[in-house]
Amino acid sequence: MASVSLKGLSKVYPGGVTAVQGVDLEVRDGEFVVLVGPSGCGKSTTLRMVAGLEEISAGELRIGERLVNEVPGRDRDVAMVFQSYALYPHLSVRQNLAFPLERRRAHGSKLLRLASAGYRAAARAEDAALAARVDEAARTLGITALLERKPGALSGGQRQRVAVGRALVREPAVFLFDEPLSNLDAKLRVEMRAELARLHQRLGATMLYVTHDQEEAMTLGDRLVVMEGGVVQQCGTPRDVYDRPANRFVAGFVGTPSMNFLPATLVEDAGAPALDVHGARLALPPSSRARPRAPRRGRARRAPGRARALRRGRPG
Amino acid sequence: MSRGRYWALVPLAFGALLMLFPLWWMLVVSLETPAQAGAATVEVGALELLPSEPQWHNYADAAREVGSVEWQGFLDALANSILVTFLTVLFTVLSCSLVGYALARIRFRGRGALFGVMLATMMLPPQVTMIPMFLVFRSLGWVDTILPLVVPALFGNAFFIFMFRQFMAQVPESLVEAARLDGCGHLEVWWRVMLPLCRPVIAITAVFTFIFVWNDFLGPLIYLHSERKATLAVALNSFRNQFGGLEDVQYLMALSLITMIPCILLFLVAQRQFVEGLGKGAVKG
C-alpha cells in the first residue's frame, strides 16, 4: 500500500479547456478518499491522471515517494475499476482475473520454459501461485462458481464483482474506482457499497473513489473531496463536510434534502451578532462571533440551515 | 408464412436458379462422356438434367493431365495455390488489423490525413500500378518466386484496413484502458484484446482475400513463369489451351470444379460470420 500526493495537479486539454485546476490532496496510506461532485466537475479527470490515462498538464503526482508524472499507468502499481466494468468479453472470468498477472510475468517466459528444465519448474510454481491468487480473489468476492463463465453470461452485480476481483488479484499500491456502482440498480448498489466498505476494512488498502452520488460518498469515504469547476471546494471527513461546509456550493451539494438558504441580515442582538430572518433573530454560534473578519452589520446575507436543525419554537 | 412472403420468394428463387445454372451445367458436363459433353456444349437441348452414367473418373483424368508430367502439374499447382493463399490471407489479416488498430486507437499527428491518403488508394485501379510494381519486383530479383504475390499483403489493403478501423473504433475505450493498466502495450492490446473481438471482420477479410487470391490469374501469370511454380488458376488456363476443344470439355469442367471447391466450402463454413461481418462493417461504419 502507499500514500498518494497530488500537488497543484492541473489538466488543460488541447484547445484550452481546463478540466482540473491546481488540485492539492494528500491521501494517506490505507485511506479511503472519495472524490465527489456534479458531472463535469473534474473528479474523473483527476482519477484518470492518477491512473496514468490522462497526461498531467501541471503539478506533481507522487505514489508513495515516487514521482510518477511521466510513468506509464501500467508501471504505477495502481488498479482501476471502471464504470462499464471493462471485462474482456472473449475471456472467461478466470482468464479475466488472471489477465493482469499473466501480463506481468516476464516476457518470453514460454520460450525460456521450453529451453530449461529448472525454468520449467519455476514457471510451474509461478502458474500455481497465479491460480491460487485468482482462487483467493474469487473466494473473497464470492464468485468462485462463476470462474468458467464468460462476462456475457453474468448479471451486472456479478460483472462488478469480477471487475473488483481483477483489481484485487494484482495487490496494487492504490485502488482506483471510477463510479463503479452507477450501472447497478438501487438495491444492488447498496449491497455492493457495503461489500466495498468491508473489502477496504479487510485489506486496509489505499483507495481513491469517484462518484457523483453523495450518499455513496458519505457512507464509504474516510474523507470526501468535493469538487466543482475543476477545483477542490472542500476536503474533510463526511461529518465535517456535512456539518461545516466550506462554502455555499458544498452546503448546497451535500445532503438530501439540500441545505436551505434564507435571506437574512446581520444584526446585533444583546451585544452579540445575530441574523435577522424575516423578523426572527437567530443567534450566531460562538465560532462565528470569534471570526476576526466578521461581515459588516446590516449587510444582506443568506442564512444556511438544514431542515433537521430547525426546532419548533413557542409562539411569540 | 404469409402469402405475400411466398410471392417474394418467387423472384428470389428465380435469381438463385439463374446463378446456380452455370454451376449445374459445369457439374453435369464434367460427368458426361466426351460425346455427350461435346453435344451439350453446342446444343442446350442435348444437356441432361442428371447424367445417366456419371463418369467420375473424369476428375482423376483431368487432374492427372495437368502439366507435362502426370499428376505432378496438378499437385504442384495445388500446393502453390495453397501456399500463396495461406500466406496472403495471414499477412492481410495481420497487417490490416494492425494498421486499423493504429488508426482507430493511437492518437498521433497527421492520423486523419494518413487515413484520407489510405482511402484515396482505393480509387487507384491496380492496372495503373501493375507495370511499376513489376519493375520494382524485377529489380529485387523476385520474378518467378511467390514473393511478389505475398509480400504486398504485408502492407495492408485499404478496404480491409477501413473495415478494421471502423470496427475497432466501436470497441469501448475503457476496455483498451483496462488492458493498458493491466500491463499491455499497444501490440499486446491489439493481439490479446482487439483481434479476438474482431472475429467477424477477420472472417470477412479472410474469406474475401481467399477467394480473390485463390482465383487470381493475372498476378501469378505475370510473376510466375516456371511450370512447377504455377498456381491452379494459371494451370487451369494452360489446361484450357490443351483441352479446350469440344471433345475434351468434360475435363476442363471437372478441373474448373475442383478449383472452385475450396471457395464454395469456405463460403458455406464461414457464411454466418461472413454476413455478420458485412452487417457490422456497414452499420458500425
Side-chain angles (χ1 to χ4, degrees):
Chain A
M1 304 306 146
S3 60
V4 181
S5 166
L6 287 70
K7 278 192 186 140
L9 214 63
S10 297
K11 176 68 191 177
V12 182
Y13 285 107
V17 178
T18 303
V20 175
Q21 203 175 348
V23 169
D24 291 308
L25 177 67
E26 296 289 334
V27 183
R28 291 184 290 272
D29 188 2
E31 197 178 18
F32 197 132
V33 170
V34 180
L35 302 176
V36 64
S39 296
C41 71
K43 55 191 189 300
S44 283
T45 309
T46 306
L47 192 82
R48 289 169 60 81
M49 282 196 280
V50 175
L53 298 174
E54 296 281 355
E55 272 182 41
I56 296 168
S57 306
E60 272 188 9
L61 172 68
R62 286 177 191 275
I63 296 178
E65 294 303 311
R66 193 161 64 124
L67 183 69
V68 294
N69 281 40
E70 302 299 328
V71 177
R74 59 181 169 170
D75 299 327
R76 289 188 185 186
D77 201 10
V78 296
M80 187 155 164
V81 179
F82 292 83
Q83 181 178 1
S84 59
Y85 318 127
L87 300 177
Y88 308 116
H90 58 291
L91 301 179
S92 68
V93 170
R94 184 186 292 284
Q95 289 166 325
N96 262 283
L97 294 180
F99 190 87
L101 299 178
E102 282 175 352
R103 298 280 58 76
R104 277 168 164 70
R105 292 167 85 165
H107 287 273
S109 60
K110 283 180 184 163
L111 284 177
L112 285 171
R113 201 180 301 182
L114 294 173
S116 137
Y119 189 86
R120 268 204 302 277
R124 268 201 299 276
E126 207 178 298
D127 283 343
L130 190 149
R133 268 168 81 174
V134 168
D135 288 339
E136 194 193 329
R139 248 195 323 276
T140 304
L141 294 160
I143 52 172
T144 307
L146 312 174
L147 282 174
E148 305 313 323
R149 288 202 207 164
K150 292 273 174 71
L154 303 179
S155 68
Q158 289 169 334
R159 285 182 205 184
Q160 190 55 61
R161 283 202 177 110
V162 177
V164 174
R166 198 173 59 186
L168 202 63
V169 287
R170 280 180 50 188
E171 298 172 1
V174 182
F175 284 89
L176 307 172
F177 296 89
D178 189 5
E179 308 209 27
L181 308 184
S182 57
N183 284 344
L184 304 180
D185 63 55
K187 185 169 173 282
L188 205 54
R189 206 179 307 159
V190 174
E191 282 174 24
M192 281 303 294
R193 203 188 293 162
E195 221 162 281
L196 282 178
R198 273 199 296 275
L199 195 68
H200 176 243
Q201 272 185 338
R202 196 169 142 187
L203 299 174
T206 310
M207 293 183 173
L208 209 50
Y209 190 102
V210 161
T211 181
H212 64 268
D213 181 342
Q214 46 167 303
E215 195 183 320
E216 206 168 291
M218 299 291 275
T219 51
L220 277 175
D222 295 330
R223 273 195 301 154
L224 305 190
V225 178
V226 185
M227 293 185 72
E228 163 65 356
V231 177
V232 173
Q233 303 291 330
Q234 185 171 5
C235 179
T237 63
R239 172 62 66 184
D240 267 349
V241 172
Y242 186 78
D243 287 339
R244 284 181 289 281
N247 55 38
R248 192 171 161 192
F249 170 78
V250 178
F253 181 76
V254 176
T256 309
S258 64
M259 200 175 262
N260 299 293
F261 296 96
L262 305 172
T265 315
L266 189 67
V267 294
E268 200 170 273
D269 188 27
L275 287 174
D276 183 304
V277 182
H278 296 300
R281 294 287 165 93
L282 299 175
L284 287 174
S287 56
S288 309
R289 287 180 213 164
R291 273 187 195 165
R293 294 178 62 195
R296 279 202 305 270
R297 280 169 202 153
R299 189 173 161 195
R301 306 279 294 168
R302 292 263 168 190
R306 296 204 184 274
R308 73 180 186 105
L310 295 177
R311 298 279 182 278
R312 186 190 291 255
R314 276 182 296 188
Chain B
M1 197 185 278
S2 67
R3 180 175 283 194
R5 291 193 67 178
Y6 274 121
W7 281 113
L9 285 178
V10 173
L12 289 176
F14 179 73
L17 282 176
L18 208 64
M19 292 292 146
L20 285 173
F21 175 75
L23 206 62
W24 170 75
W25 187 89
M26 280 173 74
L27 180 68
V28 171
V29 171
S30 73
L31 293 170
E32 299 276 32
T33 59
Q36 287 170 322
T41 310
V42 290
E43 193 186 336
V44 178
L47 191 69
E48 293 176 298
L49 194 61
L50 285 172
S52 47
E53 288 173 25
Q55 310 289 306
W56 295 106
H57 60 85
N58 283 351
Y59 284 83
D61 292 346
R64 192 173 51 232
E65 294 303 323
V66 175
S68 52
V69 182
E70 279 191 3
W71 287 107
Q72 186 184 288
F74 174 73
L75 293 176
D76 280 346
L78 184 65
N80 291 335
S81 278
I82 289 172
L83 183 67
V84 169
T85 308
F86 172 75
L87 290 178
T88 309
V89 168
L90 182 72
F91 292 167
T92 303
V93 168
L94 291 179
S95 62
C96 293
S97 59
L98 190 60
V99 178
Y101 173 78
L103 290 171
R105 289 296 174 183
I106 303 176
R107 289 191 184 89
F108 56 91
R109 197 183 291 270
R111 181 174 70 161
L114 210 58
F115 184 55
V117 170
M118 188 209 73
L119 287 183
T121 63
M122 285 167 73
M123 291 154 208
L124 211 60
Q127 289 80 0
V128 173
T129 55
M130 197 181 288
I131 292 172
M133 294 273 276
F134 179 80
L135 294 176
V136 169
F137 290 133
R138 195 183 59 180
S139 66
L140 290 170
W142 287 3
V143 173
D144 207 26
T145 71
I146 63 165
L147 292 176
L149 302 178
V150 298
V151 169
L154 284 171
F155 296 90
N157 170 299
F159 176 70
F160 297 129
I161 290 172
F162 176 75
M163 282 196 74
F164 272 106
R165 187 245 184 213
Q166 297 304 92
F167 191 86
M168 287 179 180
Q170 304 294 321
V171 173
E173 182 68 25
S174 60
L175 212 56
V176 177
E177 289 176 341
R180 299 195 65 193
L181 285 180
D182 281 342
C184 295
H186 277 304
L187 275 177
E188 275 183 306
V189 175
W190 163 71
W191 180 253
R192 295 188 181 279
V193 179
M194 283 299 188
L195 272 186
L197 296 179
C198 285
R199 274 212 312 235
V201 186
I202 291 175
I204 196 170
T205 305
V207 171
F208 266 137
T209 310
F210 182 95
I211 292 172
F212 175 76
V213 177
W214 187 263
N215 294 325
D216 184 25
F217 170 67
L218 201 58
L221 185 73
I222 293 171
Y223 293 110
L224 302 176
H225 299 157
S226 318
E227 185 190 304
R228 296 210 63 181
K229 288 181 179 163
T231 59
L232 269 179
V234 176
L236 185 65
N237 183 56
S238 310
F239 190 81
R240 187 178 64 86
N241 295 337
Q242 196 179 346
F243 293 95
L246 290 179
E247 66 280 8
D248 290 323
V249 73
Q250 73 281 3
Y251 293 142
L252 185 62
M253 291 306 120
L255 195 66
S256 301
L257 270 175
I258 292 174
T259 310
M260 283 174 67
I261 284 170
C263 294
I264 295 169
L265 285 181
L266 185 72
F267 186 79
L268 290 177
V269 169
Q271 193 182 21
R272 210 173 133 199
Q273 299 263 16
F274 190 68
V275 174
E276 192 184 338
L278 274 177
K280 283 207 160 97
V283 176
K284 294 206 170 186

